Amino acid sequence: MIDDERLRRVFRSALNLGDEVEVDVLEYRGIDKWDSLAHMALVAALEDEFDIMIDIDDVIDMSSFGKARELLEKHLV
């Protein structure tokens, strides 16, 4: 089972978001802070935090918080 709070912390840290931002509804390019550079920082942060390697297809497909959660489930974190 995915620890949603842990995932939220990674998103907040990698995207430099405050506690007031509702992370669960975030989508890529849905906010200014989640651009292509921030996307790669988020991918690296997820890999570090959850000790996984994300392949390029998943990097491209990870377009929301929900998709990131699905990705972690796929990797059985």
Side-chain angles (χ1 to χ4, degrees), residues 15-77:
L15 300 177
N16 195 26
L17 302 172
D19 291 337
E20 73 283 356
V21 176
E22 189 176 347
V23 175
D24 294 32
V25 298
L26 288 180
E27 293 185 0
Y28 177 62
R29 295 193 182 250
I31 60 171
D32 289 341
K33 290 188 176 186
W34 193 356
D35 60 13
S36 58
L37 288 176
H39 189 72
M40 296 313 296
L42 176 59
V43 168
L46 289 169
E47 289 179 331
D48 288 346
E49 178 69 24
F50 294 99
D51 196 27
I52 59 173
M53 290 296 297
I54 302 174
D55 67 40
I56 191 66
D57 290 333
D58 287 333
V59 169
I60 294 167
D61 191 44
M62 193 182 74
S63 58
S64 67
F65 178 86
K67 288 283 192 178
R69 192 173 192 288
E70 289 175 17
L71 172 68
L72 293 178
E73 286 174 349
K74 177 177 136 179
H75 284 276
L76 302 175
V77 172

